[in-house]
Amino acid sequence: MDDPQSPDRVARIQEDWRRERPDLDVSPQGVIGRLHRLAGHLTEELCLVYGRHGLSEGEFDVLCALRRAGEPYERAPGALAAHTMVTTGAMTKRIDRLEQAGLVTRRRCDDDQRGRIVALTQPGRELIDHAFTDHIRNEHRLLDLLTPTEATALQGLLATWLTRLENPPPPDSR
């Protein structure tokens, strides 16, 4: 483990690059590198909870998307892919595994016999309700490493940055 008094790994990497490439401004690594490392740590911590419920990260994501849909807890596979930010091919594999586990069912769409609808089963709903409760408890634990003021400031900064990245202004307005 790193000594809390010494620079973190990202700072040491930046120092190395400043020495080797003084012609480049490596300051973005201070943010991007730390976010990247933090994302890895957070993913590990979150996946531990999913695993306790017998779920992968992707399966947890699909069950959450179905549960968030509200009664009758169903969506078309394409809508599930949009709500979970994965490809339809990846979605099919996740749905197959969840269906084999008895957590979801698939049926033909009433409006379009070629289409399918994926729905939570009762065991699927019970599982995701328990898993999501544990997940939120875990997220609180992780966020409690910051003060409430720090957490609020970070949330605002990340929301702003993500909005600008996902919705860039038209090229002529820059």
Side-chain angles (χ1 to χ4, degrees), residues 9-86:
R9 286 185 187 177
V10 174
R12 289 193 300 273
I13 290 168
Q14 285 178 289
E15 288 171 11
D16 291 346
W17 279 118
R18 284 184 184 111
R19 182 189 67 243
E20 294 300 315
R21 290 295 309 270
D23 57 311
L24 295 177
D25 173 12
V26 296
S27 62
Q29 288 182 320
V31 174
I32 305 294
R34 286 184 180 95
L35 280 174
H36 186 72
R37 286 186 50 79
L38 185 60
H41 289 297
L42 292 175
T43 298
E44 280 181 34
E45 294 289 330
L46 298 176
C47 286
L48 288 173
V49 172
Y50 309 148
R52 280 189 230 132
H53 293 276
L55 299 169
S56 69
E57 183 178 24
E59 293 162 346
F60 177 85
D61 202 18
V62 170
L63 293 176
C64 281
L66 288 169
R67 182 63 173 91
R68 287 192 320 267
E71 288 274 2
Y73 310 113
E74 59 185 34
R75 294 185 194 265
L80 275 174
H83 284 273
T84 59
M85 299 178 288
V86 297

Side-chain angles (χ1 to χ4, degrees), residues 69-141:
E71 288 274 2
Y73 310 113
E74 59 185 34
R75 294 185 194 265
L80 275 174
H83 284 273
T84 59
M85 299 178 288
V86 297
T87 65
T88 53
M91 182 56 61
T92 299
K93 291 176 185 173
R94 291 175 183 183
I95 293 168
D96 287 346
R97 288 190 302 265
L98 292 168
E99 187 175 35
Q100 289 171 357
L103 302 173
V104 302
T105 59
R106 272 187 270 218
R107 65 174 170 75
R108 290 193 187 279
C109 180
D110 297 335
D111 301 336
D112 176 5
Q113 289 299 304
R114 292 171 297 155
R116 298 271 186 240
I117 296 293
V118 179
L120 272 178
T121 61
Q122 186 61 33
R125 182 173 171 201
E126 291 170 8
L127 176 65
I128 197 57
D129 282 349
H130 290 295
F132 188 71
T133 298
D134 289 348
H135 169 73
I136 289 298
R137 187 178 304 119
N138 189 38
E139 285 191 342
H140 277 283
R141 177 187 66 82

